[in-house]
Amino acid sequence: MKPKTLRTLPDLRREMAAWRDKGLRYAVVPTMGAIHEGHMQLVREGLRRADRVITTIFVNPKQFAAHEDLDKYPRDEPGDLLKLGKAGSNAVYLPRPDDIYPPGFSTSVSLTGPARAGLEDRFRPHFFTGVATIVAKLLVQTGADLAMFGEKDYQQLRVVTRMARDLDLPTEVIGIPTVREDDGLAMSSRNVYLSFAERRRATAIFQNLNLAAEAIRNGRVPSQAAAQAARRLRDQGFKIDYVTARNAETLARPSIPGERLRLLAAAWNGKTRLIDNIAV
Ligand code: AMP
């Protein structure tokens, strides 16, 4: 069914109040649009856990640096609405810029801890303040019971979870496993930037993370396994930002034997920066 479109903050508030009045529990799925199967899975998982799902689409300028791809970020509103309807999203919030950043906007939410783990933050220093600020606003604006996030952006998931806890937001943050293409490539709105040859090569990130995870499970020192994965990817033509094993919760470097680990990678495939991660 076609989802109801809510294009202003007052529209959103009215619809959320109506859901609340009916005693419905609802989940929010924050996105930047260019909807793919990964986003659709978040919607479906939201519907499994709540009575209604509201998806938000807002390409957030505050999480792009000046040299990044804000202007060419893929946008396709009719296609997005069709896919979100297919996945079962009951409503879609497409706010105007002023609904998010009214004139004079002066507040931001910034974190230490997982946001300063030396991963994405090292290469995109503005990123998590932009993310935490918009997500805090979307959770407050929607008043959702649940918020669905993908493990695909693992550091983001840890940051948002920490932020909601630290600010006593009543929304429960839920992480959903990464949805992948048949060859293992993590689905991403940015995959459309890949040339044919780059697309074929892209699966190597997931493959090498898996090899490293297996090596760690077989007793290899995590930093060595990660370094080997980075070397292999470099040999295949990737430019590596990081390949590293971290504590799965705090994202700190491993220090305790037997702690739960996550392997995370960011690498340039031609002009496109891809990120991925897996559990060890
Ligand atoms: P984005 O529109 O890229 O900002 O992503 C919106 C949400 O979808 C975030 O919570 C992402 O982690 C999630 N997401 C993106 N790609 C995937 C994927 N392949 N599998 C699961 N979740 C995803």
Side-chain angles (χ1 to χ4, degrees):
M1 221 177 65
K2 203 165 173 285
K4 189 162 186 175
T5 50
L6 309 166
R7 294 188 182 272
T8 69
L9 178 55
D11 285 352
L12 173 76
R13 290 230 165 96
R14 251 190 313 275
E15 186 70 11
M16 298 302 100
W19 289 2
R20 194 59 77 200
D21 286 349
K22 287 186 197 144
L24 300 171
R25 267 168 61 78
Y26 58 93
V28 62
V29 177
T31 80
M32 297 207 299
I35 297 301
H36 53 66
E37 191 54 41
H39 303 115
M40 290 167 79
Q41 193 58 22
L42 299 189
V43 170
R44 292 186 199 106
E45 288 294 331
L47 283 173
R48 274 171 22 99
R49 293 170 163 84
D51 304 306
R52 295 280 186 277
V53 165
I54 166 112
T55 305
T56 71
I57 298 182
F58 185 68
V59 183
N60 178 29
K62 287 206 191 303
Q63 66 192 65
F64 288 80
H67 63 276
E68 289 182 343
D69 57 343
L70 174 63
D71 291 337
K72 67 167 185 155
Y73 195 83
R75 288 168 171 86
D76 173 18
E77 188 185 304
D80 287 352
L81 293 176
L82 218 63
K83 289 177 202 159
L84 291 171
K86 217 169 115 192
S89 189
N90 305 92
V92 180
Y93 178 43
L94 302 132
R96 302 163 299 187
D98 276 7
D99 290 312
I100 303 293
Y101 303 118
F105 184 83
S106 338
T107 304
S108 61
V109 178
S110 73
L111 289 84
T112 54
R116 298 281 172 81
L119 302 169
E120 288 303 288
D121 49 303
R122 235 172 78 214
F123 301 92
R124 308 180 74 191
H126 314 277
F127 184 65
F128 286 118
T129 297
V131 167
T133 304
I134 182 97
V135 172
K137 287 191 60 108
L138 291 171
L139 300 195
V140 170
Q141 288 190 350
T142 58
D145 299 282
L146 307 174
M148 317 302 291
F149 284 87
E151 288 183 349
K152 157 76 175 27
D153 301 278
Y154 194 79
Q155 188 177 11
Q156 169 174 285
L157 170 62
R158 299 316 316 154
V159 167
V160 168
T161 303
R162 188 72 247 175
M163 181 272 294
R165 200 178 295 159
D166 289 352
L167 295 182
D168 305 311
L169 298 181
T171 309
E172 186 187 350
V173 175
I174 311 258
I176 297 300
T178 303
V179 179
R180 299 181 178 281
E181 303 285 358
D182 289 344
D183 66 350
L185 174 66
M187 288 193 185
S188 162
S189 305
R190 290 188 167 100
N191 290 348
V192 299
Y193 300 154
L194 299 173
S195 71
F196 184 73
E198 288 163 354
R199 171 63 191 85
R200 279 184 52 181
R201 181 169 60 175
T203 179
I205 300 179
F206 181 58
Q207 283 167 359
N208 281 291
L209 285 177
N210 274 309
L211 288 174
E214 200 183 322
I216 295 170
R217 285 193 294 270
N218 290 333
R220 187 106 198 254
V221 175
S223 57
Q224 287 178 5
Q228 186 177 25
R231 264 196 310 277
R232 286 208 199 99
L233 285 170
R234 222 172 269 124
D235 289 346
Q236 290 173 63
F238 289 87
K239 186 175 144 304
I240 308 299
D241 278 354
Y242 57 82
V243 179
T244 182
R246 295 301 184 93
N247 180 289
E249 172 93 9
T250 63
L251 299 182
R253 290 182 189 286
S255 58
I256 314 151
E259 72 192 297
R260 208 158 58 83
L261 296 178
R262 196 93 191 173
L263 270 162
L264 304 106
W268 289 87
N269 185 359
K271 287 198 173 73
T272 305
R273 187 172 182 275
L274 300 177
I275 60 171
D276 201 352
N277 68 88
I278 61 168
V280 173

